Structure formats: C-alpha cells, structure tokens
Amino acid sequence: MSTVAREAGTVPLDGRVVVVGGGLAAARVASALRRKKLTGPIDIVTAEEHLPYDRPPLSKDVLVGSKDSTALPFDPSRLDVTVHTGRTATGVDTRAQILRTDAGDLAYDGLVIATGAAPIRLPGDGEQFTLRTIDDALSVRDRLTPGARVVIIGASWIGAEVATAARTRGCHVTCLEYAEAPLANTLGQAVAGHLLPWWSGIDLRCGTSVEEVTDDGVVLADGSVIPADVVVTGVGVRPCIGWLDGSGLPTDRGVLTDEFCRTAVAGIVAVGDVAQRWSPSADRHRLVEHWDDAGGAAATAASALLGEAAAYDPVPYFWSDQFGHKIQYVGAHGPDDTETITTTEVGELDAVIWTTPNGDLSAWLGVDRPRDVIAARTAVGSPAAEFAAAHA
C-alpha cells in the first residue's frame, strides 16, 4: 500500500483553493471543483502568460503551421476563477497554509500542486530550444524554414515529432541519439529497430553522445561539430518540485501522493506531470507524464480536497503522431516481460504485445490501429493469449 501518511482535513465549500500551475490539470481541477459545488474563491497561479492550453498539439499542429493556438475551452469568468499569469510559486508554508510567490503570498484552505515538468537542457552557451510551451513551439516554427539545418538531440517521442515537422517544412534534419535505435530504451531494441525505416530522409545518427551546444552547433563526445541553424533538445523532462524544498512534502521523482491524489499534508493534492501517484494495481508509485492521466486525475484531486474518496488508478495510455503514423501505447511493460511483434504484409510494424511471466497482458502498442485501443486497455492484466487471438 501507499507509504504516504496523511492527516485528516477537508476544504469547506466556501473555502479558498489555490492551484499552482496553469496547464490541463489545473484547468480540469478548477472546473471539477465548481461542478462539485465549491463556492469559495479559486486562484490559479501560473508562470506562463497564457490561459491553460493543450500541449500535445504543440509538436504536431503548431509546428507544421496548422494552428497558432491550442487554448483549452476554459472560461475563468464563467467559473469565477482568478488566473494569475506571469506569477511564479517560490515556496509553501504548509502549517500556516500560505503559498509564497514572487508577487506576494496567497492564503489557502486547499492547495493543488500542478506545476508539471520542465525539459532537460544540455550543457553549452549555444542557443538550444526545447518544446514544452506554446512560446517554445512558435519560436521553433519560425526557424523551421526551407533549407535550415536543424539538429535534434534525442530520437525520443518529442524528437520524432519535431523531426516530422522539420522534414515537412523542407529543413535539412539531423537527429543525434545516444541509444542504438529510436526509443530503444523505452520500447526495447527489437521493437525500436522496426522504427528505423520511418526516419528516411533524415540524417539519424544513433549511438552518438553529445558534449555541448555552442554557437557553432552541436559538439559531440569525440570533439567533432555538427553545424546547426536550429538546435532542439528532446532528452526528457523533470517534474517541477524545486519550489517545494523545505515544505515537508514527501517527494521522490515527483510529489508523492496516494491513489486519491492526496499528499502527506492535509488539504494539499498533486496532479499531472508533477505527481507520483500510488497505483494499487502496480503496487508502487507511478509518474505518468501523459495528457490522458493529467486530465483524468483532476476530478479525483478535486474530490479529495472536498473529503470524497474516489481512487484513480487507470491503465496508462499515450500516443504519438510521427512520420505519417499514429503510435498508441497502453499499459506498462517490465524488464521481465516478453514481446510479440507483428508486422504488416509489407513488413512494417503493426503491433506489439508484452506478456508477463505469468502470461498476462502488460502492455500493447499499435501502429495506425486506433480501434483496438479500448480493447487493449481493458485487456491489460488478463491472459495475453486471449487478447492476441481476438486482435491478431
């Protein structure tokens, strides 16, 4: 069971709730609180200058130019929510129930931690872009001009989507990947090998280590330099928990919560990419940094603040659009699981089934098979052979 110890505490319906973070999770929690009849003030504190917006389309629609905005259908005035844009949380006094910010303190009865995650940047003084905010996406898009030399560090999910957009816009694209194939550390070498043909037309250099980013380009571990007009780094993110130092809130890779999104401190919940939530089904804390989880856990977090018990422990799910294909993944496979790979008649990757040592389905990946996602999500934890027979 979860090791997060909790104190009793419920936010009154006329109490003040402060939400730290301005993304999907923050917007969904605020909406859920109003649906649950909270009449007290709701304040959203976000370091960005924008109202809440969707992040998945940033590396897809925004980069290719089909959208300039991904704003969520979130109306602060209708919900009677005060959004403090351009305001950064700097700490929290959990005993006095005060949020510290760079623009003064805010008292709260309930606190929602939804600060998300920040991209990892590599050493060097050269200009390097990451892709996390709408401003990031618009800045990168402005530089994806025909003939531009674009170097992407990391053949990750985000790296592949940036490479897709850059190739579409006529750039010369080089991608530097430390592993031996794209997503090899995530999906395994055998599965990752089937993704290599998708990178046709891109200078993909696997097994490559980067030293730093300079004004001349990207310096590799062997001292050679890859010239670049644009450098985009996609090597992962870290949950934004530094501002919680000294708060007494237990953290690991993220803020530790139980399956109800409750932290160890009464009246404080955490949700979204910053939350490392207890999963009864996995018997461990999970950090699930995906849109689907951030949106789905919001109602649970709101319920927890108001003293209602509604555990959230779904089968993880995410998707990626890259090189004309949609990859969808459900579940979570482990190092001891075996994989079964199926391909199409022309030898392209079709689906992957991961099976636990006891024969259960732990995860499924499909390529351009959206109609099988719900069935796969339902089947996780049941005999893999039965699912395989029904969805060959």
Side-chain angles (χ1 to χ4, degrees), residues 18-23 26 43-48 82-89 99-102 106 112 114-115:
V18 176
V19 184
V20 189
D43 295 85
I44 292 179
V45 176
T46 172
E48 292 194 59
T82 302
V83 182
H84 305 265
T85 57
R87 189 169 180 176
T88 303
L99 176 72
R100 311 290 187 191
T101 82
D102 59 358
L106 281 174
V112 181
T115 42

Side-chain angles (χ1 to χ4, degrees), residues 236-292:
V237 298
R238 293 191 181 100
C240 297
I241 57 176
W243 66 279
L244 294 170
D245 289 347
S247 67
L249 285 165
T251 62
D252 180 28
R253 291 186 297 144
V255 179
L256 294 174
T257 79
D258 62 11
E259 62 269 36
F260 304 99
C261 300
R262 300 177 300 191
T263 70
V265 177
I268 301 180
V269 297
V271 65
D273 292 356
V274 74
Q276 195 172 350
R277 191 178 62 250
W278 179 258
S279 168
S281 61
D283 196 30
R284 61 182 174 86
H285 283 94
R286 273 178 169 168
L287 186 65
V288 184
E289 299 166 325
H290 303 307
W291 180 96
D292 186 71

Side-chain angles (χ1 to χ4, degrees), residues 37-377:
K37 309 306 180 185
L38 181 81
T39 59
I42 299 177
D43 295 85
I44 292 179
V45 176
T46 172
E48 292 194 59
E49 297 291 347
H50 308 279
L51 293 177
Y53 58 87
D54 253 344
R55 298 191 191 277
L58 299 181
S59 56
K60 307 170 180 69
D61 302 316
V62 174
L63 277 194
V64 299
S66 59
K67 285 185 179 179
D68 294 324
S69 171
T70 64
L72 292 167
F74 177 74
D75 185 346
S77 59
R78 184 178 65 83
L79 293 171
D80 191 20
V81 172
T82 302
V83 182
H84 305 265
T85 57
R87 189 169 180 176
T88 303
T90 58
V92 59
D93 184 335
T94 59
R95 290 188 178 275
Q97 293 186 296
I98 293 174
L99 176 72
R100 311 290 187 191
T101 82
D102 59 358
D105 295 346
L106 281 174
Y108 66 83
D109 295 295
L111 183 69
V112 181
I113 300 172
T115 42
I120 297 171
R121 299 178 65 83
L122 296 181
D125 297 328
E127 184 178 54
Q128 62 178 298
F129 293 92
T130 55
L131 200 65
R132 188 68 181 179
T133 69
I134 183 66
D135 294 328
D136 292 339
L138 293 174
S139 294
V140 172
R141 187 179 74 183
D142 287 345
R143 291 161 173 79
L144 298 184
T145 57
R149 298 171 300 176
V150 177
V151 175
I152 301 167
I153 304 174
S156 56
W157 300 109
I158 196 72
E161 294 186 353
V162 173
T164 301
R167 188 177 67 178
T168 300
R169 294 175 69 87
C171 302
H172 298 297
V173 185
T174 300
C175 185
L176 310 174
E177 168 57 41
Y178 183 77
E180 295 304 315
L183 299 170
N185 293 335
T186 302
L187 302 177
Q189 185 66 41
V191 178
H194 287 276
L195 304 178
L196 288 171
W198 294 5
W199 292 77
S200 175
I202 292 172
D203 183 5
L204 175 64
R205 306 187 188 187
C206 295
T208 302
S209 180
V210 172
E211 188 73 20
E212 62 176 338
V213 179
T214 69
D215 291 337
D216 296 325
V218 179
V219 181
L220 304 184
D222 62 7
S224 60
V225 179
I226 308 297
D229 300 308
V230 186
V231 177
V232 181
T233 301
V235 295
V237 298
R238 293 191 181 100
C240 297
I241 57 176
W243 66 279
L244 294 170
D245 289 347
S247 67
L249 285 165
T251 62
D252 180 28
R253 291 186 297 144
V255 179
L256 294 174
T257 79
D258 62 11
E259 62 269 36
F260 304 99
C261 300
R262 300 177 300 191
T263 70
V265 177
I268 301 180
V269 297
V271 65
D273 292 356
V274 74
Q276 195 172 350
R277 191 178 62 250
W278 179 258
S279 168
S281 61
D283 196 30
R284 61 182 174 86
H285 283 94
R286 273 178 169 168
L287 186 65
V288 184
E289 299 166 325
H290 303 307
W291 180 96
D292 186 71
D293 191 82
T300 294
S303 295
L305 283 179
L306 301 179
E308 303 170 7
Y312 189 68
D313 187 28
V315 174
Y317 164 75
F318 72 89
W319 79 96
S320 175
D321 296 328
Q322 52 184 268
F323 307 117
H325 297 284
K326 179 178 286 293
I327 298 178
Q328 293 174 291
Y329 177 98
V330 300
H333 66 275
D336 297 328
D337 297 345
T338 58
E339 69 213 10
T340 302
I341 302 172
T342 59
T343 58
T344 65
E345 293 180 354
V346 295
E348 294 183 346
L349 182 64
D350 177 53
V352 185
I353 288 176
W354 280 274
T355 305
T356 66
N358 65 1
D360 289 339
L361 178 70
S362 61
W364 173 88
L365 178 146
V367 177
D368 302 324
R369 296 182 61 170
R371 287 185 291 183
D372 291 329
V373 171
I374 294 177
R377 203 166 186 177

